[in-house]
Amino acid sequence: MSANPIFSRRAFVGGLVIAISLPGCKPSPKSSGELKVIEPNAWLRIGTDNSITFLCDKTEMGQGVYTALPMLIAEELGVSLEQIKVEFAPPGDQYINNLIGGQITGGSTSVRDGWEKLRKAGATARHLLVSAAADEWGVDPRSCKVANGVILSPQFKKLTFGEVAEAASKLPAPKDVPLKPASQFTMIGKPQRRKDTPSKVDGTAVYGIDVKLPGMLYAALAQSPTLGGSVKTFNDEKARTMPGVVAVVLTSSGVAVAADSWWRAKKARDALTIEWDAGPNAALNDAKITQMLRKGAAGEGRVARNDGDAAAAIKGAARVVRADYELPLLAHATLEPQNCTADVRADGADIYVPTQVQQIAQATAAKAAGLDPKVVNVHTTFLGGGFGRRLEVDFIPAAVEVSKALKKPVKLVWTREDDMTHDAYRPPAFDQVTGAFDAKGKLIAWNLHLTGPSITSRMFPSVTEKMVDPFAVEAAANYPYDVPNVHVDFQQQEIGINVGYWRSVSHALNCFVAESFMDELAVAAKKNPYEFRKALLEKQPRFLKVLDMVAKEAKFGYPQRGHFHGLAVMEGYGTYMAQVVEVSLDTGPNAGKIKVHRVWCAADCGQQINPDTVVAQIESSIIFGLSALLWGEINLQNGRVQQTNFDSYRVARMTDAPRIDCYVIDSTESPGGIGEPATALVAPAVCNAIFSGTGRRLRSLPLSRHRLA
Amino acid sequence: MTKLNVNGNAVEVDVDPETPLLWVLRDTMGLTGTKFGCGMALCGACTVHLDGQPVRSCQIPVSAIGDKPVTTIEGLSKDRSHPVQKAWIEHDVPQCGYCQSGQIMSASALLEAKPKPSDADIDAAMAGNICRCGTYQRIRAAIRRAAEIKSGRA
């Protein structure tokens, strides 16, 4: 069951967990006797003091799970959102994300994974509490009502959850508790204030970088400037004599300096003299990567979709359109640099870490400490941005190794430069796409041959042993248009460095190709891009709805004078989306510079939980996609990343932010993911607008590479 | 020992004089609301007020502060009652929230200087603060709202 010692003391009674006086639970001042806390399931603790704690099994990195997930509980439990206190859950199999297969926050799955199980968790707890109250009153539980954590009998007697908690813990768990139909929702779908906002406007929210333990040392780390390199020899003579320096430790990730303040640790780190073994990437550069991908593209990839016979249809077609698209490496650039605080002792360890992968973090720390994972506690903090970067655990081992060596708690913090030059970058791509028309001008074939490195083959090799990397063919394998012959394949071509999951993963790569090319096909067919898509989406009602909605709201095709419109659509994470952008080409001193003035986005993400967060995530994703589109690229020279900080890796600022208008379809379909999809549409939509304005088709990004004047 | 006036409190800190104010606030004084983002005054996460002006605390050695008062997010109000904080809550601006202390310090300084900022004023005052979650639209709306609250048009 659980690997965490906090949970090993639990007694399982008919599926009901009773944990009396959990470690860390102090009796509240009001309680006369001993505070007792029941755990009706892995997500809930209900105290005899009426406290209700939700153990949030997903990481809060801005996407709003700290609010949306307790909403799912509150809806069925019968409490207000304010009554629920949120804590981050420890690692444990009970928190495995059913959509991914590990305790992972990613893939826009948090609400989808919790949709049934968290409502059931709330409903089950409510059933037990109401049954206990009904037993005490000798009434039918079905005659009782619940509001704000108070149970009301038909005779208007009242018992609080806390008053019946202990009795409830002795009842057998119900087998199947019915869930409310959508028509009875009182909280789901109604805008709620984010529970984490207050602590994020007064500076009290604790991120990994803010953790402070008694007797803690601070550490800075020198890592190989060449990706994949290692330490050959180092001289720490000067560093060791610098003020505040406690020790210099050779770790598996590089040379770390521990000191009594981070600033002193960093200064001493900069004073180290290190001779590096550059390793296998010593000669790696952008041109080599491009060459590897283009060469690799000659191979036949693993097939992700095969309808009809695209090759034959293309061969016999009246007209064939072909294009190659290329995308660069990208950094995540979370604003909080990577960090980890470790307290390693002989008999166990605690790590405090902003992570999207609690179990992998635990296993990684345990291995670095030489301890059994069972004695390694993982404490998840708020994340200063995730975007997939913190699915990686490369910042954990060094902190653990230094703490182990010095027998003291250690907080290891990367600089921005460390972070920018040691990311697991978004994979580059070289993609070849072909469309074919018959003599009547009907689109009869679509073939997309993708080439690039596979993230999943490194992260979850068991998956790619059996099948094509599912996170390489998104927004391609689900090509939505009504075309009889469709073929999609992915040719894996490694490039020597680690690539990682980056917000919306392959959607952002493949949607750029598919939706840019859709406009190329529309041009070939001499059709309006909106009409061309609409005709091929007739059998896709959810697509049609968002397409029509966004076209209408944006008055697609009728931009302001001197401005241009572009369009893109996509389904990702079970969410249907269409975006229109309005751009202009600067003719002033910044001649050729693209300005994105407005973005309209229509989305059908099924049942919304917290509608304001849905809008916030669309806004956020669009800005994230915009940064990548305008300037995002990581360049390599001799295996070294050339971008080091926000001067050389530019991201969108207030002045770059367009007005964004969102239109979210009211729906009771199962929830779709919303944290990522909008990221992917903005690049093709803007490139389609640029084509509309200039007649130039841009098939590579970022735009800063192209001179448009 | 270096004497400082932080959030209305006179304090003495024993640090190397060239230590940036940011690290004195965070590591020496435990005021972790002010964030480290870039170390080069490029991202604005470390913005505090020095004598009422917004500054990047990662670039100012503690020895250069003198007797000028320093205000951090912790000192902006005791109870999130500053108009900017109120407006930020009303608009649910933060997502990951990491940049927001800096955004709020820049925005509050802007409103002191310009109680009714134009869009161009907002662009100019906020251009130094990066938000990777892209909350810019809400920040703009919340600044307008904070201006209303501040002028009594609640």
Side-chain angles (χ1 to χ4, degrees), chain B residues 5-148:
Chain B
N5 178 344
V6 178
N7 298 333
N9 302 312
V11 292
E12 283 190 61
V13 290
D14 183 13
V15 294
D16 307 329
E18 79 277 13
T19 310
L21 174 62
L22 170 66
W23 296 103
V24 177
L25 294 172
R26 288 184 52 82
D27 289 354
T28 312
M29 300 184 62
L31 297 172
T32 52
T34 305
K35 301 303 187 203
F36 167 55
C38 71
M40 285 180 69
L42 296 166
C43 79
C46 68
T47 306
V48 299
H49 296 172
L50 182 61
D51 210 6
Q53 296 303 308
V55 295
R56 313 300 179 209
S57 63
C58 73
Q59 292 302 298
I60 303 177
V62 69
S63 55
I65 304 291
D67 54 4
K68 287 182 187 162
V70 175
T71 305
T72 70
I73 186 73
E74 290 89 350
L76 195 63
S77 75
K78 286 192 173 69
D79 48 6
R80 301 186 285 264
S81 59
H82 188 282
V84 171
Q85 289 170 311
K86 282 185 177 171
W88 248 242
I89 291 170
E90 256 183 54
H91 285 263
D92 252 341
V93 172
Q95 291 188 26
C96 93
Y98 193 77
C99 72
Q100 297 296 344
S101 296
Q103 304 278 3
I104 289 169
M105 296 313 283
S106 289
S108 55
L110 165 66
L111 291 179
E112 283 306 318
K114 294 190 173 169
K116 282 185 194 172
S118 65
D119 268 344
D121 293 333
I122 293 174
D123 278 352
M126 305 305 292
N129 291 80
I130 289 172
C131 174
R132 281 295 275 154
C133 301
T135 62
Y136 299 117
Q137 179 154 298
R138 285 171 191 245
I139 290 173
R140 191 183 294 280
I143 289 174
R144 298 201 167 292
R145 177 67 187 132
E148 282 178 13

Side-chain angles (χ1 to χ4, degrees), chain A residues 350-641:
Chain A
D350 286 82
I351 66 163
Y352 303 77
V353 63
T355 181
Q356 297 176 242
V357 286
Q358 285 73 12
Q359 289 176 308
I360 299 173
Q362 183 184 46
T364 303
K367 195 176 163 208
L371 290 167
D372 188 321
K374 286 190 183 108
V375 296
V376 176
N377 302 317
V378 174
H379 308 269
T380 305
T381 60
F382 279 118
L383 270 58
F387 317 125
R389 177 61 180 90
R390 296 184 222 264
L391 294 166
E392 305 288 336
V393 289
D394 51 333
F395 42 90
I396 293 177
V400 171
E401 290 167 32
V402 177
S403 174
K404 188 185 179 186
L406 304 182
K407 299 184 173 62
K408 281 192 169 175
V410 170
K411 174 160 73 180
L412 190 144
V413 178
W414 289 16
T415 63
R416 170 59 49 199
E417 290 79 8
D418 298 339
D419 193 289
M420 198 68 84
T421 55
H422 296 89
D423 199 347
Y425 303 94
R426 190 184 82 171
F430 176 69
D431 301 326
Q432 297 170 303
V433 59
T434 310
F437 295 93
D438 67 10
K440 291 176 189 156
K442 183 179 177 253
L443 185 62
I444 53 164
W446 189 79
N447 183 85
L448 178 56
H449 176 53
L450 305 164
T451 302
S454 162
I455 310 162
T456 311
S457 67
R458 171 177 63 90
M459 298 280 274
F460 307 103
S462 62
V463 173
T464 47
E465 271 167 27
K466 294 179 215 120
M467 58 193 284
V468 60
D469 180 349
F471 304 112
V473 297
E474 300 153 310
N478 58 341
Y479 184 70
Y481 300 105
D482 189 9
V483 178
N485 304 288
V486 174
H487 188 268
V488 177
D489 73 304
F490 171 62
Q491 171 64 43
Q492 181 179 345
Q493 174 61 54
E494 293 305 316
I495 56 170
I497 61 167
N498 284 350
V499 288
Y501 299 117
W502 185 98
R503 196 175 196 172
S504 88
V505 191
S506 59
H507 289 94
L509 301 167
N510 301 337
C511 182
F512 172 62
V513 180
E515 283 299 292
S516 295
F517 192 64
M518 206 56 198
D519 265 38
E520 295 203 53
L521 293 173
V523 169
K526 297 193 170 59
K527 298 243 173 73
N528 167 303
Y530 160 70
E531 300 291 346
F532 184 65
R533 284 178 175 80
K534 189 174 159 85
L536 292 168
L537 290 170
E538 286 298 337
K539 294 172 190 164
Q540 303 260 16
R542 293 180 79 180
F543 260 118
L544 276 185
K545 211 166 174 179
V546 290
L547 175 64
D548 281 339
M549 185 178 262
V550 83
K552 179 174 161 265
E553 294 293 344
K555 297 185 179 65
F556 181 73
Y558 300 93
Q560 195 180 311
R561 195 184 176 83
H563 291 192
F564 310 100
H565 274 169
L567 171 70
V569 306
M570 187 188 85
E571 181 276 319
Y573 310 100
T575 290
Y576 295 78
M577 204 170 257
Q579 277 180 24
V580 169
V581 300
E582 183 164 322
V583 309
S584 68
L585 213 57
D586 203 321
T587 49
N590 299 313
K593 201 182 142 202
I594 287 289
K595 171 84 184 164
V596 180
H597 297 272
R598 294 189 65 173
V599 180
W600 294 262
C601 183
D604 172 2
C605 59
Q607 173 70 55
Q608 302 179 64
I609 311 305
N610 197 3
D612 191 49
T613 293
V614 168
V615 170
Q617 284 307 296
I618 294 173
E619 293 167 353
S620 170
S621 298
I622 288 169
I623 299 294
F624 205 76
L626 186 70
S627 291
L629 159 75
L630 293 174
W631 311 285
E633 65 181 316
I634 286 294
N635 304 119
L636 289 173
Q637 203 58 52
N638 299 325
R640 297 178 179 213
V641 171

Side-chain angles (χ1 to χ4, degrees), chain A residues 42 53 121 124 235 278 347 353 414 560 647 655 675 683 706:
Chain A
T53 306
T124 307
N235 183 330
D347 59 347
V353 63
W414 289 16
Q560 195 180 311
D647 46 357
T655 39
H706 301 279

